[in-house]
């Protein structure tokens, strides 16, 4: 005969591998069924699409992707056996990791052809410093970072003296998604220059005399 009740939940659901935009939801049932997850950003209100897997199994796992960083999601897991009986869990929540943050950006020192930038970042696995003579940039310096809040210094060399430069600090999360930073600027120091050179000879001096100015 056919089953009339749905398979019962025997484990979970649990959430693992939460990042800024991805997470995995797992659960188990006492009989085989397919796998679905309904989720949304408000209690009891879910998105129209339900990530699913049609394979009949007792161990279920669904990946949720393209999530929003730093957001709490509400979800239920669902399963349907081969006879069309559907089970559904109670509503649970998970929160994605916040987007990486950069703060306290400053120019630590500036020279004729180099600059040292200082900043603190949180939640970033990598930092890209873009720089150039225009807001189109052209130069880039990449630095690996810790996801914990840490202060860093980045030195940029081979610059022109007496030149205004634009720069921005972009952060990358664990999924290598890049977050745009604010465009800032600095100016390198000008090199010393000699101009208006004059040579004057003094006449009727006891010794030959020339004045340079």
């Amino acid at each position: 005969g056919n089953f009339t009740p749905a398979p019962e939940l025997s484990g979970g659901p649990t959430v693992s591998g939460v990042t800024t935009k991805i997470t995995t939801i797992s659960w188990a049932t006492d009989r085989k069924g397919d796998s679905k997850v309904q989720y949304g950003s408000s209690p009891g209100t879910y998105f129209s699409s339900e990530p699913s897997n049609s394979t009949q199994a007792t161990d279920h796992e669904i990946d949720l992707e393209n999530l929003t960083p730093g957001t709490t999601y509400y979800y239920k897991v669902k399963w349907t056996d081969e006879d069309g009986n559907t089970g559904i869990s109670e509503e649970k929540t998970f929160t994605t990791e916040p987007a990486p943050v950069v703060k306290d950006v400053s120019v630590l020192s500036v020279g004729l052809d180099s600059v040292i930038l200082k900043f603190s970042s949180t939640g970033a696995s990598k930092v890209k410093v873009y720089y150039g003579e225009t807001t189109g940039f052209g130069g880039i310096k990449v630095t690996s970072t810790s996801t914990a809040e840490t202060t860093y210094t980045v030195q940029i060399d081979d610059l022109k003296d007496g030149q205004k430069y634009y720069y921005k600090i972009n952060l990358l999360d664990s999924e290598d998604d890049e977050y745009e930073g604010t465009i800032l600027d600095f100016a390198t120091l000008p090199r010393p220059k000699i101009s208006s050179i004059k040579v004057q000879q003094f006449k009727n001096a006891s010794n030959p005399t020339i004045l340079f100015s």
Side-chain angles (χ1 to χ4, degrees):
N2 297 334
F3 284 104
T4 53
E8 294 187 359
L9 190 67
S10 60
T14 59
V15 173
S16 61
V18 180
T19 68
T20 53
K21 296 184 178 181
I22 295 177
T23 192
T24 300
I25 298 178
S26 306
W27 70 97
T29 51
D30 64 351
R31 286 190 289 108
K32 290 184 178 181
D34 64 8
S35 309
K36 305 183 193 73
V37 174
Q38 57 182 30
Y39 70 105
S41 54
S42 300
T45 303
Y46 307 113
F47 303 132
S48 57
S49 63
E50 293 183 356
S52 62
N53 185 340
S54 60
T55 302
Q56 295 282 309
T58 56
D59 292 322
H60 308 264
E61 185 176 283
I62 294 290
D63 293 330
L64 301 183
E65 301 177 345
N66 299 319
L67 303 175
T68 302
T71 301
T72 296
Y73 287 93
Y74 301 80
Y75 74 96
K76 292 181 180 181
V77 298
K78 300 167 64 178
W79 58 93
T80 302
D81 67 14
E82 59 185 358
D83 296 323
N85 304 299
T86 299
I88 187 168
S89 71
E90 295 181 353
E91 185 177 77
K92 289 195 168 187
T93 65
F94 68 88
T95 302
T96 52
E97 293 293 320
V101 175
V102 64
K103 63 179 183 179
D104 300 331
V105 180
S106 63
V107 176
L108 189 61
S109 69
V110 62
L112 299 173
D113 55 8
S114 65
V115 68
I116 298 177
L117 304 176
K118 182 180 179 182
F119 60 89
S120 297
S121 68
T122 306
S125 62
K126 192 181 299 181
V127 167
K128 290 184 178 180
V129 180
Y130 294 89
Y131 63 94
E133 296 177 26
T134 68
T135 53
F137 306 108
I140 183 173
K141 189 148 190 179
V142 181
T143 302
S144 296
T145 60
S146 167
T147 54
E149 181 172 343
T150 310
T151 299
Y152 302 92
T153 57
V154 173
Q155 181 167 330
I156 301 173
D157 298 308
D158 299 323
L159 304 177
K160 295 179 181 178
D161 66 286
Q163 176 66 49
K164 182 176 181 178
Y165 282 90
Y166 297 90
Y167 72 98
K168 65 177 179 178
I169 299 175
N170 286 8
L171 306 180
L172 282 76
D173 62 18
S174 57
E175 305 300 325
D176 274 344
D177 288 317
E178 191 165 339
Y179 298 78
E180 288 291 319
T182 302
I183 296 178
L184 304 170
D185 61 76
F186 65 86
T188 52
L189 299 178
R191 294 186 184 276
K193 295 180 180 179
I194 298 176
S195 61
S196 302
I197 300 175
K198 295 180 180 180
V199 180
Q200 181 180 359
Q201 182 177 1
F202 281 88
K203 296 181 178 180
N204 303 319
S206 58
N207 293 306
T209 303
I210 295 177
L211 175 65
F212 289 89
S213 63

